[in-house]
Amino acid sequence: MAHYEMYYCIPSSAFNSAVGDKIKGLYPIVESVNEETEEITYKSAPTWYDIIMSGKVGAPRYSHDRSYVIIKGEWSMKDGVLTELMELGYSLEYPNFSILTKTEAQELANSNTFTGE
């Protein structure tokens, strides 16, 4: 079976928004660790910013004015993550919450939207 990475474009207006349950489950963010018991507490409502800064979605590619960021990941329809990502983009204009192929992500990263030219 082929293995494909996908890309996702997030508007900066969503950086501080909590992610959905499926995405939260895929990218758990540690909030604290009890040094005595070694018990880990995970952040109950991680944001896109938390996930991006955790390094769990590859190196982010920001637009020139930081209006958008492209992240890279591996998401599945089977576990509902891809569906959750798609639903965020329903009825919104491209590139807001857009799932992209590698070629599409490269084209967007080289477009005026990202370069400002």
Side-chain angles (χ1 to χ4, degrees):
M1 180 178 277
H3 171 79
Y4 297 101
E5 292 178 325
M6 292 172 267
Y7 298 79
Y8 195 61
C9 185
I10 304 166
S12 62
S13 59
F15 285 3
N16 293 318
S17 300
V19 299
D21 289 336
K22 302 286 184 184
I23 298 162
K24 179 174 73 173
L26 184 62
Y27 303 114
I29 303 297
V30 174
E31 186 166 44
S32 64
V33 178
N34 183 321
E35 291 183 23
E36 291 177 17
T37 64
E38 297 182 10
E39 182 180 349
I40 299 171
T41 303
Y42 293 97
K43 199 165 189 180
S44 61
T47 64
W48 283 109
Y49 180 80
D50 295 328
I51 290 171
I52 291 166
M53 297 312 292
S54 73
K56 296 181 180 197
V57 291
R61 172 72 187 260
Y62 291 94
S63 63
H64 70 98
D65 59 0
R66 297 183 83 77
S67 293
Y68 297 99
V69 63
I70 297 173
I71 60 172
K72 178 172 71 171
E74 183 179 333
W75 305 297
S76 171
M77 291 290 281
K78 180 181 173 188
D79 60 15
V81 174
L82 191 55
T83 302
E84 194 169 85
L85 292 172
M86 287 182 348
E87 288 174 352
L88 290 172
Y90 284 148
S91 75
L92 297 177
E93 288 188 31
Y94 176 82
N96 293 290
F97 297 109
S98 295
I99 298 169
L100 309 163
T101 65
K102 181 178 182 177
T103 300
E104 292 168 336
Q106 289 171 335
E107 288 172 357
L108 178 58
N110 292 321
S111 72
N112 291 346
T113 302
F114 268 70
T115 65
E117 296 174 355

